[in-house]
Amino acid sequence: MPVTKRTLFSLRATVGYAVFAGAWILLSDRVLELFSDPHTLARFSTLKGLVFIVVTAIMLWVTLQNVPAEADIVLSDEAPAPWTVTGLMWGVLTPLLAAAIQWTFWEHLDPYAWLLMYPAVFAAAWLGGWYAGVVSTVLSAGLSWYLFVPPRMSWHLDKPSWSVTIGVFVAMGLLMSMMIDWLRRLEHRASNRKFEALVEQTLAGIYIVQGDRFRYVNPAFARMLGYDNPDDIIHRLPIQALVSPADRQRVEQHLQARFDDPQLEMRYSFTGLRKDGSPIDLEVHGRGLATASGHAVIGLALDVSERRRTEATLREKQTLLDRMSELAKVGGWSLDVATRSGSRTDGAARILDLDPTLPESLRFQDGLRYFRGEH
């Protein structure tokens, strides 16, 4: 079963909520330790519960407003940036720089052991992606624990509450990294939907192919092939089911060439099969597309059946006209007085002893050489 964008979105939302709830519980319990008066403790406990309800309600509303469709179009790679040396560099350098600054000015910052580490995690996640934020979170927690948490320069903790503080920092760092990544996805999806609206309304068929299945087709493509809904095709029908048996091997070769070279652009025609089994002449224009899940092909499909029938009819009429001219031993020609160029029938070429299969210049001056004297 394919993993859809809705499934991935739901997984991210669930993990994000779990991290937020865990961080909230740990942090709020850490604050509760500061109160000794039972009445104040009860009021603060009620307040933190109400704030938690409000925040989680807002998170739920934003999440529901951005749930993608199962077959949401993906015209560009929306996955997180791959693990790179640059991203790892941001994940390492930002906590090291923050620790160096904090070490230099520690006498003025004591006892705020985490003062510069939160900005370090934010900067790493913003500049290098969510995984850089994770690396920065882990490294910042280790540096702060060893260098700034009493007793300093030791992995021991003089108070059990410090372990809760470290846990809260790690949870908040992970949540911060995920939220920055989520905001980037929302920004990308907003710009992508503008183009999606155009694709949904176009009369041409748009498709995205990965492997032997369609990842996306627009409504025009589905109607072109006789299907009521794009969902009847996406992830369900293999590509070969929509191609006539005579052209299946050729279509497969064209697709494989674009899978192998994402920069390759191709244009070719083949005979497709509608839902009812009737043939349809298609012309496709496509190119490869590199995504996080592998190479795909994005393309445009046009129904050229009517054009093919018109061309065939014109060829038949031209053949009949040439045959009639040959039997009648007559020829015809036309001349554009503006451009001084024209065309002639095969019969006219034969009368002038020309090979009808060879193109001959029909400019006015060249045509004079077929006449003599005063003619």
Side-chain angles (χ1 to χ4, degrees):
M1 179 180 179
V3 179
T4 63
K5 291 181 64 179
R6 178 179 294 179
T7 302
L8 294 176
F9 182 87
S10 301
L11 178 61
R12 290 195 298 268
T14 302
V15 173
Y17 173 79
V19 173
F20 168 78
W24 180 273
I25 292 173
L26 293 174
L27 182 61
S28 59
D29 288 347
R30 180 79 171 84
V31 174
L32 285 177
E33 295 178 359
L34 302 176
F35 299 101
S36 57
D37 179 38
H39 297 288
T40 303
L41 182 63
R43 287 195 297 269
F44 183 83
S45 179
T46 302
L47 177 62
K48 78 160 187 170
L50 294 175
V51 173
F52 181 80
I53 293 175
V54 172
V55 173
T56 52
I58 294 174
M59 291 176 60
L60 178 62
W61 185 84
V62 173
T63 300
L64 293 176
Q65 290 297 311
N66 291 276
V67 175
E70 289 288 350
D72 200 5
I73 182 173
V74 183
L75 296 178
S76 59
D77 188 7
E78 194 186 7
W83 291 82
T84 62
V85 176
T86 304
L88 183 62
M89 179 189 70
W90 286 118
V92 173
L93 289 183
T94 52
L96 290 179
L97 179 61
I101 296 175
Q102 191 156 306
W103 179 271
T104 303
F105 299 97
W106 178 245
E107 61 180 13
H108 304 290
L109 300 177
D110 186 28
Y112 304 105
W114 312 97
L115 182 63
L116 298 182
M117 294 307 174
Y118 280 103
V121 173
F122 178 86
W126 185 263
L127 296 173
W130 68 270
Y131 64 92
V134 172
V135 173
S136 179
T137 298
V138 175
L139 187 56
S140 297
L143 289 173
S144 297
W145 183 351
Y146 186 76
L147 297 177
F148 305 113
V149 174
R152 297 176 59 192
M153 310 297 287
S154 171
W155 294 110
H156 299 287
L157 299 174
D158 59 358
K159 294 190 299 182
S161 59
W162 280 116
S163 60
V164 177
T165 303
I166 295 174
V168 170
F169 174 81
V170 172
M172 294 303 295
L174 295 178
L175 179 62
M176 189 184 305
S177 302
M178 293 177 61
M179 289 299 297
I180 291 175
D181 178 70
W182 187 49
L183 291 175
R184 284 182 170 176
R185 289 176 182 273
L186 291 180
E187 180 182 5
H188 177 85
R189 187 177 294 120
S191 61
N192 197 38
R193 282 177 177 170
K194 296 178 183 178
F195 190 69
E196 179 183 349
L198 176 63
V199 170
E200 294 289 334
Q201 297 300 321
T202 183
L203 298 179
I206 306 294
Y207 65 90
I208 298 178
V209 170
Q210 190 170 39
D212 66 340
R213 302 276 173 169
F214 290 95
R215 281 182 60 183
Y216 171 81
V217 299
N218 69 341
F221 185 93
R223 290 192 299 268
M224 192 183 301
L225 274 298
Y227 292 87
D228 298 329
N229 195 298
D231 291 337
D232 296 334
I233 299 176
I234 298 172
H235 298 308
R236 293 186 178 182
L237 295 181
I239 298 170
Q240 302 294 359
L242 303 181
V243 182
S244 66
D247 291 333
R248 286 175 182 172
Q249 184 176 0
R250 185 165 60 89
V251 170
E252 184 178 354
Q253 290 173 349
H254 281 298
L255 287 174
Q256 188 60 49
R258 284 179 289 173
F259 285 141
D260 296 338
D261 184 4
Q263 301 302 318
L264 181 63
E265 296 186 14
M266 284 190 177
R267 173 180 176 177
Y268 61 96
S269 302
F270 66 93
T271 301
L273 292 178
R274 292 188 177 94
K275 183 179 180 179
D276 59 6
S278 60
I280 176 175
D281 293 319
L282 296 175
E283 184 177 281
V284 295
H285 310 247
R287 62 169 298 168
L289 178 70
T291 70
S293 57
H295 289 167
V297 172
I298 181 172
L300 175 83
L302 300 174
D303 181 1
V304 294
S305 300
E306 186 63 30
R307 190 181 77 186
R308 294 290 171 80
R309 285 192 292 268
T310 302
E311 292 173 350
T313 301
L314 290 176
R315 286 194 298 268
E316 292 176 359
K317 290 182 177 181
Q318 184 63 44
T319 301
L320 179 60
L321 179 62
D322 290 341
R323 181 59 177 164
M324 293 175 61
S325 298
E326 182 180 356
L327 293 175
K329 299 186 183 303
V330 297
W333 58 271
S334 66
L335 178 68
D336 188 327
V337 295
T339 63
R340 297 299 181 91
S341 63
S343 61
R344 46 107 177 112
T345 65
D346 291 348
R350 295 188 186 95
I351 293 173
L352 298 174
D353 293 328
L354 299 175
D355 185 350
T357 62
L358 297 177
E360 195 72 22
S361 174
L362 286 173
R363 289 180 302 176
F364 182 73
Q365 295 297 329
D366 293 339
L368 292 178
R369 63 191 177 91
Y370 298 116
F371 303 90
R372 293 181 180 178
E374 68 276 13
H375 299 292

